[in-house]
């Protein structure tokens, strides 16, 4: 029988714990605070930022939105980041991506204080993740790991196939699975024999960004766990990388889209804000 891993239910449980921790900090006179920087009018980015802002406020984490003009220069944006780096009342900083083309995104992400980098995108935090010493780890990979762990199945010794190698998801989830003692294969557009890798995998994480990339016709293990990180639109509808319906009855665990990884990503952002807060106040 196939079990659906509900990201919505898992997020609810984890958010209750986060809210309790945030409330305890508030009672100690510390208000965990996230600053979200949004540049320009990108509709999808605005919607993501609003969801993050609302989730924080619902869970006793203060959220400050800094909305800046589309035409801001890299120098002025760097100045805004510096102000947030130096503000003791701000514990986490997130610069919503993508940034307008004229801005040097790499320079901006490198300017965020590594201690406040709740996205885990700063090269120092990326390096720490690779050597197993990171405190701030990218939110989507953290959410994926929570989903896999929620099944109760061991990760140790399992063959994990990650399809996709982005800096935001594919690479960090591959690293996290390796640290959890999986044998990890990171597949990408140049990978040969993906079908044979799919057949052998105990855990499949698809972060390709292509609607229904896994059709359900592929051969997979009956015991496999599939996590769908896709966030694609098909005929105006949000769909994942995986055609879930065609895998029902063929796999052990599978995550849906929507209601899968998405709610966990925002939950992990709040957890990272608490992690940054503890680190800064100690
Ligand atoms: N845009 C899409 N996903 C993300 C994310 O995880 N962090 C940031 N900062 N921007 C994004």
């Amino acid at each position: 029988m196939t079990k659906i891993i509900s990201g919505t239910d898992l997020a609810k449980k984890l958010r209750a714990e986060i809210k309790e921790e945030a409330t305890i900090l508030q009672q100690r006179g510390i208000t965990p605070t996230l600053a979200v920087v949004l540049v320009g009018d990108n509709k999808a980015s605005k919607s993501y930022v609003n969801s993050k802002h609302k989730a924080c406020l619902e869970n006793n984490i203060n959220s400050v939105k800094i909305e800046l003009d589309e035409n801001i220069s890299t120098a002025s944006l760097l100045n805004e980041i510096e102000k947030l780096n130096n503000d003791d009342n701000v514990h986490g900083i997130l610069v919503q991506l993508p940034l307008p083309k004229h801005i040097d995104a790499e320079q901006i992400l490198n300017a965020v204080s590594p201690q406040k980098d709740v996205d885990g995108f700063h090269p120092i935090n990326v390096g720490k993740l690779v050597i197993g010493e990171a405190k701030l780890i990218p939110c989507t990979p953290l959410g994926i790991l929570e989903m896999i762990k929620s099944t109760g199945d061991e990760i140790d010794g399992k063959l994990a196939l990650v399809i996709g190698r982005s800096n935001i998801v594919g690479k960090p989830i591959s690293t996290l699975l390796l640290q959890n003692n999986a044998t990890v294969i990171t597949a990408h557009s140049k990978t040969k024999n993906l079908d044979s890798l799919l057949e052998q995998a105990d855990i499949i994480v698809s972060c390709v960004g292509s609607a229904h990339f896994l059709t359900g016709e592929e051969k997979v293990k009956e015991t496999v766990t599939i996590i769908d990180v896709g966030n694609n639109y098909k005929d105006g509808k949000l769909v994942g990388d995986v055609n879930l319906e065609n895998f029902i009855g063929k796999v052990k665990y599978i995550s849906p889209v929507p209601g899968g990884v998405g709610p966990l990503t925002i939950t992990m952002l709040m957890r990272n804000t608490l992690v940054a807060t503890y680190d800064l106040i100690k």
Side-chain angles (χ1 to χ4, degrees), residues 45-256:
S45 290
K46 266 195 167 170
S47 159
Y48 287 139
V49 163
N50 285 338
S51 303
K52 290 168 185 176
H53 181 70
K54 187 166 155 258
C56 282
L57 296 183
E58 280 169 4
N59 291 284
N60 286 354
I61 292 174
N62 185 30
S63 168
V64 186
K65 270 195 276 183
I66 294 127
E67 298 185 74
L68 301 167
D69 190 85
E70 175 87 24
N71 298 315
I72 191 169
S73 65
T74 299
S76 302
L77 184 52
L78 284 171
N79 197 34
E80 293 292 332
I81 307 277
E82 206 43 40
K83 277 196 261 173
L84 296 171
N85 283 342
N86 293 327
D87 185 341
D88 289 341
N89 294 319
V90 169
H91 306 98
I93 302 170
L94 179 148
V95 182
Q96 186 65 27
L97 301 176
L99 286 165
K101 287 208 166 54
H102 68 276
I103 296 206
D104 183 344
E106 196 183 334
Q107 204 184 344
I108 299 299
L109 295 183
N110 291 358
V112 174
S113 158
Q115 272 191 299
K116 297 188 179 187
D117 170 36
V118 285
D119 257 330
F121 292 167
H122 191 287
I124 286 186
N125 289 326
V126 175
K128 283 187 174 178
L129 174 61
V130 173
I131 58 171
E133 285 186 10
K135 288 186 181 149
L136 295 171
I137 296 170
C139 304
T140 301
L142 277 179
I144 296 167
L145 194 65
E146 287 288 347
M147 292 188 97
I148 296 171
K149 286 186 171 170
S150 77
T151 66
D153 278 7
E154 283 271 326
I155 298 177
D156 255 55
K158 294 285 167 64
L159 183 65
L161 173 64
V162 176
I163 316 173
R165 56 173 160 177
S166 67
N167 289 339
I168 293 181
V169 186
K171 285 179 195 164
I173 187 59
S174 296
T175 307
L176 280 178
L177 286 165
L178 179 61
Q179 274 160 12
N180 280 269
N181 299 323
T183 301
V184 183
I185 296 174
T186 310
H188 47 80
S189 55
K190 302 277 190 264
T191 295
K192 299 205 168 67
N193 292 326
L194 183 63
D195 282 342
S196 117
L197 300 175
L198 285 163
E199 242 182 283
Q200 297 169 62
D202 301 301
I203 297 166
I204 297 170
V205 177
S206 183
C207 41
V208 176
S210 170
H212 293 173
F213 175 78
L214 296 179
T215 62
E217 280 174 16
E218 302 81 1
K219 270 198 204 153
V220 291
K221 283 187 171 181
E222 274 176 18
T223 50
V224 73
T225 294
I226 300 183
I227 305 292
D228 185 353
V229 195
N231 201 18
N232 317 296
Y233 281 87
K234 194 179 179 194
D235 305 326
K237 224 178 98 191
L238 176 62
V239 298
D241 286 355
V242 182
N243 195 339
L244 180 139
E245 282 188 11
N246 293 345
F247 281 98
I248 302 282
K250 294 187 194 165
V251 302
K252 190 169 178 192
Y253 295 102
I254 190 161
S255 75

